[in-house]
Protein backbone atom coordinates (compact mmCIF):
# COMPACT_ATOMS: atom_id res chain seq x y z
CA UNK A 1 0.00 0.00 0.00
CA UNK A 2 1.20 3.51 -0.80
CA UNK A 3 2.42 5.70 2.05
CA UNK A 4 1.40 8.86 0.20
CA UNK A 5 -1.39 10.96 1.67
CA UNK A 6 -2.81 13.73 -0.50
CA UNK A 7 -4.05 16.93 1.09
CA UNK A 8 -7.41 17.92 -0.41
CA UNK A 9 -9.51 21.06 -0.73
CA UNK A 10 -13.17 21.06 -1.74
CA UNK A 11 -14.72 24.03 -3.56
CA UNK A 12 -18.45 24.00 -4.35
CA UNK A 13 -21.12 26.66 -3.82
CA UNK A 14 -23.58 23.97 -2.66
CA UNK A 15 -22.93 23.07 1.03
CA UNK A 16 -24.60 19.67 0.62
CA UNK A 17 -22.32 18.80 -2.29
CA UNK A 18 -19.33 19.88 -0.23
CA UNK A 19 -20.38 17.51 2.54
CA UNK A 20 -20.78 14.59 0.10
CA UNK A 21 -17.22 15.06 -1.17
CA UNK A 22 -15.83 15.52 2.36
CA UNK A 23 -17.48 12.25 3.40
CA UNK A 24 -15.84 10.53 0.43
CA UNK A 25 -12.44 11.98 1.39
CA UNK A 26 -12.85 10.86 4.99
CA UNK A 27 -13.52 7.31 3.80
CA UNK A 28 -10.41 7.20 1.59
CA UNK A 29 -7.21 6.29 3.52
CA UNK A 30 -4.78 8.10 1.20
CA UNK A 31 -6.72 11.40 1.26
CA UNK A 32 -7.03 14.03 3.97
CA UNK A 33 -9.27 17.09 3.86
CA UNK A 34 -7.63 20.37 4.83
CA UNK A 35 -10.64 22.59 4.18
CA UNK A 36 -13.60 23.51 2.03
CA UNK A 37 -15.07 26.66 0.48
CA UNK A 38 -18.45 27.61 -0.94
CA UNK A 39 -17.05 30.94 -2.19
CA UNK A 40 -14.71 30.44 -5.19
CA UNK A 41 -13.04 33.84 -4.75
CA UNK A 42 -12.03 32.97 -1.20
CA UNK A 43 -10.88 29.54 -2.40
CA UNK A 44 -8.67 31.07 -5.09
CA UNK A 45 -6.96 33.29 -2.54
CA UNK A 46 -6.46 30.36 -0.16
CA UNK A 47 -4.88 28.26 -2.93
CA UNK A 48 -2.39 31.03 -3.70
CA UNK A 49 -1.20 31.15 -0.10
CA UNK A 50 -1.59 27.52 1.01
CA UNK A 51 -1.11 24.98 -1.80
CA UNK A 52 -2.73 21.54 -1.60
CA UNK A 53 -2.12 18.29 -3.48
CA UNK A 54 -5.62 17.73 -4.86
CA UNK A 55 -8.53 20.07 -5.53
CA UNK A 56 -12.11 18.85 -5.89
CA UNK A 57 -13.67 21.70 -7.82
CA UNK A 58 -17.23 22.46 -8.89
CA UNK A 59 -17.53 24.05 -12.34
CA UNK A 60 -20.81 25.96 -12.12
CA UNK A 61 -20.50 28.58 -9.37
CA UNK A 62 -21.54 32.24 -9.06
CA UNK A 63 -18.91 35.02 -9.15
CA UNK A 64 -16.30 32.69 -10.64
CA UNK A 65 -16.66 29.33 -12.38
CA UNK A 66 -14.33 26.46 -11.58
CA UNK A 67 -12.63 26.89 -14.97
CA UNK A 68 -12.11 30.60 -14.29
CA UNK A 69 -10.70 29.79 -10.85
CA UNK A 70 -8.15 27.45 -12.44
CA UNK A 71 -7.03 30.20 -14.79
CA UNK A 72 -6.18 32.45 -11.83
CA UNK A 73 -3.69 29.93 -10.40
CA UNK A 74 -0.09 30.09 -11.54
CA UNK A 75 0.67 26.62 -10.19
CA UNK A 76 -2.62 24.73 -9.85
CA UNK A 77 -2.70 21.46 -7.92
CA UNK A 78 -4.07 18.25 -9.35
CA UNK A 79 -7.76 18.86 -10.04
CA UNK A 80 -10.88 16.72 -10.17
CA UNK A 81 -13.78 18.68 -11.65
CA UNK A 82 -17.25 17.97 -10.31
CA UNK A 83 -20.38 19.28 -12.04
CA UNK A 84 -23.99 18.49 -12.83
CA UNK A 85 -23.39 18.80 -16.60
CA UNK A 86 -21.40 16.77 -19.11
CA UNK A 87 -21.00 19.85 -21.32
CA UNK A 88 -17.67 20.79 -19.75
CA UNK A 89 -15.82 17.58 -20.60
CA UNK A 90 -13.79 19.13 -23.43
CA UNK A 91 -12.78 22.12 -21.30
CA UNK A 92 -11.82 19.71 -18.53
CA UNK A 93 -9.34 17.90 -20.75
CA UNK A 94 -8.04 21.20 -22.14
CA UNK A 95 -7.06 22.11 -18.59
CA UNK A 96 -5.51 18.68 -18.09
CA UNK A 97 -7.58 17.80 -15.05
CA UNK A 98 -7.17 14.40 -13.43
CA UNK A 99 -10.79 13.41 -13.90
CA UNK A 100 -14.27 14.77 -14.49
CA UNK A 101 -17.12 13.62 -12.25
CA UNK A 102 -20.82 14.23 -12.93
CA UNK A 103 -23.20 14.73 -9.99
CA UNK A 104 -24.52 12.85 -8.15
CA UNK A 105 -21.05 11.50 -7.42
CA UNK A 106 -20.82 7.86 -6.42
CA UNK A 107 -18.05 6.75 -4.12
CA UNK A 108 -16.83 4.22 -6.71
CA UNK A 109 -16.23 6.99 -9.28
CA UNK A 110 -14.77 9.25 -6.63
CA UNK A 111 -12.31 6.55 -5.61
CA UNK A 112 -11.33 5.90 -9.22
CA UNK A 113 -10.54 9.60 -9.73
CA UNK A 114 -8.62 9.80 -6.47
CA UNK A 115 -6.52 6.77 -7.36
CA UNK A 116 -5.57 8.47 -10.64
CA UNK A 117 -4.39 11.49 -8.67
CA UNK A 118 -2.39 9.30 -6.32
CA UNK A 119 -0.69 7.50 -9.23
CA UNK A 120 0.23 10.84 -10.83
CA UNK A 121 1.71 12.11 -7.58
CA UNK A 122 3.78 8.98 -7.11
CA UNK A 123 5.06 9.13 -10.70
CA UNK A 124 6.33 12.62 -10.05
CA UNK A 125 8.44 11.22 -7.24
CA UNK A 126 11.12 13.54 -5.92
CA UNK A 127 10.65 15.96 -8.81
CA UNK A 128 7.73 17.51 -6.96
CA UNK A 129 6.26 19.07 -10.09
CA UNK A 130 3.59 21.61 -9.23
CA UNK A 131 2.16 22.30 -12.65
CA UNK A 132 -0.86 20.20 -13.58
CA UNK A 133 0.22 19.94 -17.20
CA UNK A 134 3.31 18.03 -16.15
CA UNK A 135 1.25 15.88 -13.83
CA UNK A 136 -0.94 14.54 -16.62
CA UNK A 137 1.86 12.93 -18.58
CA UNK A 138 5.52 13.26 -19.43
CA UNK A 139 5.01 12.05 -23.00
CA UNK A 140 1.70 13.27 -24.39
CA UNK A 141 -1.09 15.79 -24.18
CA UNK A 142 -4.51 16.29 -25.76
CA UNK A 143 -5.43 19.07 -28.18
CA UNK A 144 -8.83 20.01 -29.59
CA UNK A 145 -9.21 19.54 -33.35
CA UNK A 146 -12.66 20.24 -34.83
CA UNK A 147 -14.39 19.73 -31.46
CA UNK A 148 -12.58 16.42 -30.99
CA UNK A 149 -9.82 15.73 -28.47
CA UNK A 150 -6.77 14.27 -30.19
CA UNK A 151 -3.83 12.73 -28.38
CA UNK A 152 -0.44 14.16 -29.33
CA UNK A 153 2.70 12.25 -28.36
CA UNK A 154 5.51 14.76 -27.84
CA UNK A 155 8.15 12.47 -29.36
CA UNK A 156 6.21 12.42 -32.66
CA UNK A 157 6.02 16.21 -33.02
CA UNK A 158 8.58 17.71 -35.40
CA UNK A 159 7.62 21.35 -35.05
CA UNK A 160 4.71 23.73 -34.41
CA UNK A 161 3.95 26.66 -36.69
CA UNK A 162 1.69 29.62 -35.90
CA UNK A 163 -0.69 30.68 -38.67
CA UNK A 164 -3.10 33.45 -37.69
CA UNK A 165 -5.35 32.33 -34.84
CA UNK A 166 -4.30 28.71 -35.31
CA UNK A 167 -1.22 26.57 -34.87
CA UNK A 168 -0.19 23.67 -37.07
CA UNK A 169 1.30 20.75 -35.14
CA UNK A 170 3.44 18.72 -37.53
CA UNK A 171 4.11 15.12 -36.58
CA UNK A 172 5.69 12.28 -38.50
CA UNK A 173 2.23 11.09 -39.58
CA UNK A 174 -0.03 14.14 -39.78
CA UNK A 175 -0.67 17.87 -39.52
CA UNK A 176 -3.07 18.95 -36.79
CA UNK A 177 -4.74 22.36 -37.04
CA UNK A 178 -5.50 23.64 -33.55
CA UNK A 179 -7.16 26.87 -32.45
CA UNK A 180 -4.50 28.11 -30.03
CA UNK A 181 -1.72 30.61 -29.43
CA UNK A 182 1.98 29.82 -29.36
CA UNK A 183 1.95 30.72 -25.67
CA UNK A 184 -0.66 28.03 -25.14
CA UNK A 185 1.55 25.50 -26.93
CA UNK A 186 4.59 26.50 -24.85
CA UNK A 187 2.58 25.91 -21.68
CA UNK A 188 1.50 22.42 -22.81
CA UNK A 189 4.70 21.22 -24.47
CA UNK A 190 7.70 20.40 -22.21
CA UNK A 191 10.66 22.77 -22.47
CA UNK A 192 12.98 19.78 -22.03
CA UNK A 193 11.91 18.60 -25.50
CA UNK A 194 10.92 21.76 -27.38
CA UNK A 195 12.54 25.12 -28.01
CA UNK A 196 10.97 28.33 -29.29
CA UNK A 197 13.06 29.43 -32.27
CA UNK A 198 10.88 32.15 -33.79
CA UNK A 199 7.69 34.02 -32.97
CA UNK A 200 5.97 31.56 -35.33
CA UNK A 201 7.88 28.32 -34.68
CA UNK A 202 8.51 25.86 -31.85
CA UNK A 203 10.79 22.92 -32.69
CA UNK A 204 11.45 19.49 -31.22
CA UNK A 205 15.21 19.62 -30.54
CA UNK A 206 15.84 15.99 -31.45
CA UNK A 207 14.69 16.57 -35.05
CA UNK A 208 17.03 19.50 -35.72
CA UNK A 209 19.45 18.40 -38.45
CA UNK A 210 21.43 21.60 -39.00
CA UNK A 211 21.71 25.30 -38.21
CA UNK A 212 23.16 27.63 -40.84
CA UNK A 213 22.72 31.36 -41.42
CA UNK A 214 19.97 31.56 -38.80
CA UNK A 215 18.02 28.80 -40.51
CA UNK A 216 17.25 25.42 -38.96
CA UNK A 217 16.76 22.30 -40.99
CA UNK A 218 14.11 20.03 -39.47
CA UNK A 219 13.57 16.90 -41.55
CA UNK A 220 14.22 18.87 -44.74
CA UNK A 221 12.14 21.92 -43.85
CA UNK A 222 13.88 25.29 -43.46
CA UNK A 223 12.76 27.11 -40.32
CA UNK A 224 13.97 30.65 -39.49
CA UNK A 225 15.56 31.45 -36.12
CA UNK A 226 14.59 34.87 -34.78
CA UNK A 227 17.34 37.06 -33.36
CA UNK A 228 15.69 37.20 -29.95
CA UNK A 229 15.66 33.37 -29.80
CA UNK A 230 19.10 32.66 -31.28
CA UNK A 231 21.06 32.59 -28.03
CA UNK A 232 18.63 30.15 -26.41
CA UNK A 233 18.71 27.93 -29.50
CA UNK A 234 22.52 27.88 -29.49
CA UNK A 235 22.59 27.00 -25.81
CA UNK A 236 20.19 24.12 -26.39
CA UNK A 237 22.20 22.77 -29.32
CA UNK A 238 25.47 23.02 -27.42
CA UNK A 239 24.16 20.65 -24.78
CA UNK A 240 24.63 17.75 -27.16
Amino acid sequence: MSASVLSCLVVDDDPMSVQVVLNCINNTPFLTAVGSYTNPVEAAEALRTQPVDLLFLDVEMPLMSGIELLRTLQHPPLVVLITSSKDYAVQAFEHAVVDYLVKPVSYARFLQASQKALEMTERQGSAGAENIEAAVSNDFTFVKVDNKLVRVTFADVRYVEALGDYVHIITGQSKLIVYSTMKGVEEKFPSSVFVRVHRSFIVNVKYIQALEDNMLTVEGKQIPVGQTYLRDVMQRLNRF
Side-chain angles (χ1 to χ4, degrees):
M1 180 178 292
S2 169
S4 300
V5 176
L6 306 184
S7 60
C8 305
L9 188 72
V10 182
V11 182
D12 193 318
D13 63 304
D14 180 1
M16 291 188 66
S17 295
V18 169
Q19 193 56 54
V20 167
V21 177
L22 287 175
N23 288 342
C24 289
I25 292 172
N26 291 335
N27 281 286
T28 307
F30 58 85
L31 301 181
T32 182
V34 296
S36 63
Y37 288 89
T38 55
N39 184 318
V41 177
E42 293 177 357
E45 182 58 33
L47 285 164
R48 281 189 285 271
T49 58
Q50 187 177 4
V52 297
D53 298 317
L54 180 58
L55 174 63
F56 290 95
L57 179 63
D58 184 29
V59 175
E60 299 154 304
M61 295 183 289
L63 298 179
M64 181 188 298
S65 72
I67 299 296
E68 290 170 336
L69 188 155
L70 278 181
R71 291 171 180 159
T72 70
L73 302 177
Q74 186 176 4
H75 298 294
L78 298 178
V79 177
V80 173
L81 287 183
I82 302 177
T83 179
S84 57
S85 172
K86 296 181 180 180
D87 296 340
Y88 297 95
V90 170
Q91 290 187 60
F93 280 103
E94 285 179 340
H95 286 272
V97 302
V98 173
D99 209 336
Y100 178 86
L101 305 182
V102 179
K103 297 178 182 179
V105 176
S106 69
Y107 181 70
R109 269 301 278 125
F110 174 90
L111 183 60
Q112 183 182 18
S114 300
Q115 287 171 334
K116 286 184 184 179
L118 180 64
E119 290 168 4
M120 290 176 180
T121 300
E122 293 181 336
R123 282 202 301 268
Q124 289 174 23
S126 60
E130 293 179 311
N131 193 300
I132 193 169
E133 300 288 353
V136 173
S137 173
N138 291 326
D139 13 288
F140 68 89
T141 188
F142 284 88
V143 297
K144 187 165 68 172
V145 179
D146 296 331
N147 295 317
K148 178 174 63 176
L149 287 169
V150 177
R151 175 170 165 152
V152 175
T153 301
F154 296 132
D156 292 340
V157 177
R158 274 51 174 177
Y159 62 91
V160 180
E161 180 178 5
L163 290 169
D165 294 330
Y166 293 83
V167 297
H168 289 190
I169 300 175
I170 310 301
T171 73
Q173 299 80 33
S174 63
K175 176 173 71 175
L176 303 175
I177 301 175
V178 181
Y179 183 74
S180 178
T181 62
M182 291 298 270
K183 184 176 185 297
V185 173
E186 283 189 294
E187 290 174 351
K188 274 182 173 286
F189 284 36
S191 59
S192 60
V193 178
F194 296 90
V195 60
R196 182 80 174 263
V197 302
H198 187 274
R199 62 189 299 271
S200 299
F201 287 94
I202 293 172
V203 173
N204 187 326
V205 175
K206 79 173 185 177
Y207 291 108
I208 296 175
Q209 296 168 302
L211 170 62
E212 183 178 6
D213 297 330
N214 289 8
M215 294 291 291
L216 287 173
T217 303
V218 178
E219 294 205 334
K221 179 177 176 62
Q222 298 296 298
I223 294 177
V225 178
Q227 285 297 326
T228 56
Y229 301 97
L230 183 58
R231 175 175 292 186
D232 188 38
V233 172
M234 293 299 295
Q235 289 177 342
R236 292 294 298 276
L237 295 182
N238 286 335
R239 292 180 185 176
F240 299 94

